[in-house]
């Protein structure tokens, strides 16, 4: 019933897709390590995933995502007053990028290239529209079957594509490469996608 309140928003489709992906991943984990994971139900599995998604910091190298207690409570700002990095020895460092007064909140950026759609899907909030750095749109294969069928090889028919105004997402690059590999025109594919949704 509550689901209907959000229709026709594409976020309903996103939620359905995420739930299916979570169920599939949970089943795969249980299959690989049933003795270790049989007490982890789907709800706990999703909670663990969301903690990893929203409470870790990306570090290049062998250890990609790291928990940094306390630092994970810093909020996002379109005009952050601090930035963070890892040193070569693995220490997490927060540096002020401007003067910060006593009692003033220390804010970082969760990613300057993230649109409100990405911020909402990942963290559950949005910025005022005038501060949104770009726009993004997710192409769901089930919503563009005819375009996928005309331009992409069958192996790419189940993959979503993220279109961004500020950068070319890796999903877009993969789709364009798949189109070219099939012998299609990547520019014509993008035009067909845009026409499909207008």
């Amino acid at each position: 019933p509550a689901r209907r309140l959000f229709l026709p928003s594409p976020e309903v489709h996103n939620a359905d897709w995420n739930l299916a992906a979570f169920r599939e991943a949970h089943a795969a984990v249980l299959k690989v390590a049933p003795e270790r994971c049989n007490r982890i139900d789907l709800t706990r599995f999703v909670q663990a995933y969301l903690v990893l998604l929203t409470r870790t910091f990306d570090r290049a190298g062998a250890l990609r995502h790291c928990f940094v207690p306390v630092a994970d409570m810093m909020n996002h700002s379109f005009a952050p007053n601090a930035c963070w990095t890892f040193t070569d020895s693995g220490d997490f460092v927060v540096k002020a990028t401007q003067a910060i007064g006593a009692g003033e909140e220390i804010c970082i950026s969760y990613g300057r290239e993230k649109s409100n759609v990405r911020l909402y899907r990942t963290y559950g909030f949005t910025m005022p529209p005038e501060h949104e750095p770009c726009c993004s749109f997710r192409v769901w294969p089930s919503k563009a079957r005819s375009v996928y069928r005309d331009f992409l090889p069958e192996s790419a028919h189940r993959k979503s594509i993220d279109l961004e105004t500020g950068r070319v997402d890796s999903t877009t690059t993969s789709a364009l490469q798949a189109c070219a590999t099939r012998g299609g025109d990547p520019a014509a594919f993008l035009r067909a996608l845009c026409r499909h949704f207008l």
Side-chain angles (χ1 to χ4, degrees):
R3 183 180 184 277
R4 281 182 283 186
L5 295 173
F6 293 100
L7 290 172
S9 170
E11 292 311 308
V12 173
H13 189 75
N14 183 61
D16 291 344
W17 186 87
N18 280 338
L19 181 57
F22 286 138
R23 284 182 175 146
E24 187 177 311
H26 181 250
V29 168
L30 289 177
K31 185 176 181 180
V32 172
E35 65 287 343
R36 291 184 179 170
C37 301
N38 62 0
R39 293 187 317 248
I40 302 173
D41 65 7
L42 181 61
T43 299
R44 297 289 286 173
F45 182 81
V46 171
Q47 288 171 337
Y49 172 83
L50 293 175
V51 165
L52 288 173
L53 180 67
T54 63
R55 295 289 173 203
T56 59
F57 292 85
D58 190 10
R59 179 179 176 208
L63 274 177
R64 297 256 327 147
H65 293 278
C66 302
F67 284 105
V68 184
V70 180
D72 69 344
M73 300 301 287
M74 286 188 285
N75 284 321
H76 171 78
S77 173
F78 61 87
N81 55 15
C83 64
W84 61 270
T85 189
F86 284 97
T87 65
D88 291 339
S89 60
D91 296 324
F92 184 83
V93 177
V94 177
K95 293 181 182 179
T97 56
Q98 61 191 49
I100 302 173
E104 186 179 346
E105 181 178 15
I106 298 173
C107 292
I108 59 173
S109 171
Y110 291 0
R112 293 182 187 272
E113 78 291 346
K114 288 189 170 108
S115 67
N116 272 341
V117 170
R118 283 191 178 269
L119 287 172
Y120 180 75
R121 285 183 178 160
T122 307
Y123 304 104
F125 70 87
T126 61
M127 300 302 294
E130 64 271 17
H131 298 297
E132 187 176 18
C134 64
C135 296
S136 59
F137 179 78
R138 179 163 287 168
V139 177
W140 296 103
S142 62
K143 303 293 183 187
R145 283 191 180 102
S146 61
V147 179
Y148 273 55
R149 187 176 52 249
D150 292 346
F151 287 93
L152 299 178
E154 192 170 333
S155 60
H157 284 191
R158 295 185 60 199
K159 297 179 179 177
S160 62
I161 301 169
D162 288 325
L163 300 174
E164 305 273 344
T165 58
R167 67 188 181 94
V168 178
D169 188 76
S170 61
T171 59
T172 305
T173 302
S174 295
L176 295 176
Q177 289 171 340
C179 177
T181 299
R182 184 181 176 203
D185 178 1
F189 168 60
L190 283 178
R191 284 192 297 272
L193 271 181
C194 292
R195 276 194 305 272
H196 179 79
F197 287 104
L198 291 178

